[in-house]
Amino acid sequence: MTQQGIEVFLAVARLGSVSAAAQALYITQPAVSRHLRALEETLGCALVVRGRGRRQVELTDRGRDFVRVAEKWRLLWQEAREVAGRDPAQTLRVASVGSLSTYLLPPVFREFLSPGRTLTFHHYHSREAYDYVAQGLADIALISDHMYHPQVETVPALRSRMVLLTGPGPDWTEPVPPSRLDPAAELRLPWNPEYDLWHSFWFSAAAAPRAVLDQMSLLEEFFSWQDRWQDSWAIAPALVAVPLSRKLGLTVRRLENGPADEIIYYLLGPRRKEALTRAFLACLDRELARRPEIQSLLAGGRDEML
């Protein structure tokens, strides 16, 4: 199993065709096919479904399972190549969900990166983050879905109220009851399981939102189309809604009987870089103090966990 074979497989899985993978990797289509077959021979199983006339590549069940393994292999290979050029003891590997990497963490990273420190960052969903922290592939992760993992400690980091985000109008009296919201105009993101339960209670399962999104950048993009859809609305944690409202001229409104506050947790695994992690959390704490819409939960228990 080679690194090139892994890169070829991931390109095929991501792009869905041998020709697109060949173009993206600047190699020939026969070379892509050779790498795939060599990888399958090494693993002893088929990763792609083959057949005449197929223009799109479909992964087998084992191929879909192997995607996550291949991504881990690539991450380890990248870090192995970087070892010679940096001090691993001074490199913090951070992971987070997308909303934090977009609307909270950039100034934290800027402060953390003092001379001598380096940083690697990856965007993972909560379930993935638990696995990576447990395996030592990430030193600390910030997630929104609290789960149990025998090798990972889950510690509350911050609390953010869930609010309604709309265009400048209409002139609603606050707090806004959910019954006044038109489900067909919603831009929906799956924030956490508790939010999904609240949403199911207030809105019929048959109601189709305007869009269901899983990327924060898309929420920003959709709201920028106010000339087309002036009635769009979304429910989001204040840590996202406040900076987004300032950037796009949107309105943040309080909800009546709204969903529970979003709590963000940080994860620590069995192998810890205590000094770097403590420094990172201190930078995070100072940034939270500058954001009145976010309540820090770090004080008091941080040092005891490290």
Side-chain angles (χ1 to χ4, degrees), residues 95-97 99-101 103-105 108 140-146 154-162 191-192 236-241 260-267 280-281 283-299 302:
S96 87
V97 292
S99 58
L100 300 180
S101 61
Y103 294 104
L104 177 62
L105 291 179
V108 178
I140 185 170
L142 292 157
I143 56 96
S144 57
D145 295 354
H146 186 294
T154 305
V155 189
L158 63 94
R159 180 190 300 273
S160 181
R161 182 182 297 275
M162 300 295 287
W191 295 109
N192 52 52
L239 72 89
V240 169
D261 296 351
E262 180 177 59
I263 298 178
I264 297 297
Y265 304 86
Y266 67 87
L267 309 181
F280 174 81
L281 290 173
C283 294
L284 175 60
D285 211 6
R286 285 190 287 272
E287 176 61 22
L288 296 179
R290 291 188 282 267
R291 300 279 299 271
E293 72 274 16
I294 309 174
Q295 178 189 356
S296 175
L297 303 177
L298 290 173
R302 181 173 59 241

Side-chain angles (χ1 to χ4, degrees), residues 45-108:
C45 64
L47 299 176
V48 299
V49 178
R50 292 180 172 80
R52 285 192 173 184
R54 285 183 175 271
R55 304 188 67 178
Q56 293 296 113
V57 172
E58 179 184 352
L59 298 183
T60 64
D61 289 343
R62 290 183 177 180
R64 286 189 288 271
D65 291 340
F66 186 65
V67 168
R68 179 177 292 187
V69 177
E71 289 174 343
K72 292 179 182 178
W73 175 288
R74 179 167 62 183
L75 177 60
L76 284 171
W77 178 258
Q78 290 171 347
E79 293 194 353
R81 294 183 66 184
E82 293 169 359
V83 164
R86 68 186 186 195
D87 181 0
Q90 292 302 312
T91 299
L92 188 69
R93 295 166 297 182
V94 181
S96 87
V97 292
S99 58
L100 300 180
S101 61
T102 303
Y103 294 104
L104 177 62
L105 291 179
V108 178

